[in-house]
Amino acid sequence: MSKKQELIKEMLEMQKHFTEYEQQNGVDPTEYYLAPEGHPLHGYHKKYRDVAMQLVDIAHEEKGSHR
């Protein structure tokens, strides 16, 4: 599996877990951005952003462009 495919798979898994959590518990913006350590959403938005930016970098590399 390519790095790009691995990252997409990771993002889809993260989205699935987030959606399940949200449907069961609801999500407040503060909880999303500032969840305390040990909370299921702790660090979620930063990790998701980091994975997404890795995909952006790969896409630019594939097209020979830059951001």
Side-chain angles (χ1 to χ4, degrees):
M1 184 179 304
S2 73
K3 179 68 173 173
K4 181 177 170 181
Q5 290 171 321
E6 289 175 18
L7 292 171
I8 291 169
K9 183 178 178 181
E10 183 176 356
M11 288 178 74
L12 291 172
E13 277 296 310
M14 289 180 73
Q15 289 172 358
K16 177 183 172 196
H17 292 293
F18 176 84
T19 301
E20 289 171 354
Y21 179 84
E22 184 203 21
Q23 289 175 348
Q24 292 175 0
N25 306 291
V27 176
D28 179 89
T30 304
E31 182 180 28
Y32 179 78
Y33 290 103
L34 301 172
E37 214 169 306
H39 188 283
L41 295 180
H42 177 74
Y44 174 85
H45 81 284
K46 290 179 183 177
K47 177 154 177 62
Y48 191 85
R49 179 203 59 214
D50 292 345
V51 174
M53 293 313 300
Q54 288 179 54
L55 276 174
V56 168
D57 291 340
I58 290 171
H60 279 295
E61 186 178 304
E62 288 176 351
K63 293 296 179 184
S65 62
H66 54 84
R67 52 179 168 135

